[in-house]
Amino acid sequence: MVYKVKKSGNDDLLAPYDVLKLSQLADQRASYEIQTGAWYAEIAMYLYHPQKFIGGFYARDDNFRTRIDDCEHFLSGLINYYNYTYRQA
């Protein structure tokens, strides 16, 4: 949203907000999600069929639950973060 507001020429709408702090928060949140919500082989090896889980996402605060909507939300969030961080041109 910040990128789109800047691109539209309405930078004055962002004046009341600390955009740098918001960017740092997004970095921290993405790092946290990758570290605590992704099925790495080292974690999945304790499951009955680990190959089904590797590369997916889980909700750690809900008994390591893996549901399709969790995977969709985590993945779409990481894709949006990647596009905002690395493809802003």
Side-chain angles (χ1 to χ4, degrees):
M1 182 176 75
V2 171
Y3 175 69
K4 289 185 178 188
V5 169
K6 285 182 179 181
K7 190 174 178 183
S8 71
N10 294 317
D11 291 357
D12 56 319
L13 295 174
L14 300 173
Y17 305 102
D18 187 354
V19 177
L20 179 61
K21 192 171 186 177
L22 182 62
S23 177
Q24 291 170 346
L25 179 64
D27 293 339
Q28 289 175 351
R29 185 66 185 158
S31 176
Y32 177 79
E33 289 299 333
I34 291 169
Q35 292 173 7
T36 63
W39 281 113
Y40 293 113
E42 294 84 358
I43 300 171
M45 70 182 183
Y46 296 106
L47 302 173
Y48 190 67
H49 292 290
Q51 63 275 10
K52 289 183 177 182
F53 294 93
I54 296 172
F57 299 93
Y58 61 88
R60 185 177 191 152
D61 59 338
D62 196 10
N63 297 322
F64 295 90
R65 178 191 71 196
T66 298
R67 292 186 351 191
I68 189 66
D69 62 328
D70 292 329
C71 293
E72 289 173 351
H73 294 143
F74 285 127
L75 191 57
S76 67
L78 289 175
I79 289 170
N80 285 326
Y81 171 76
Y82 175 82
N83 287 337
Y84 176 73
T85 304
Y86 299 106
R87 297 192 177 199
Q88 283 188 38

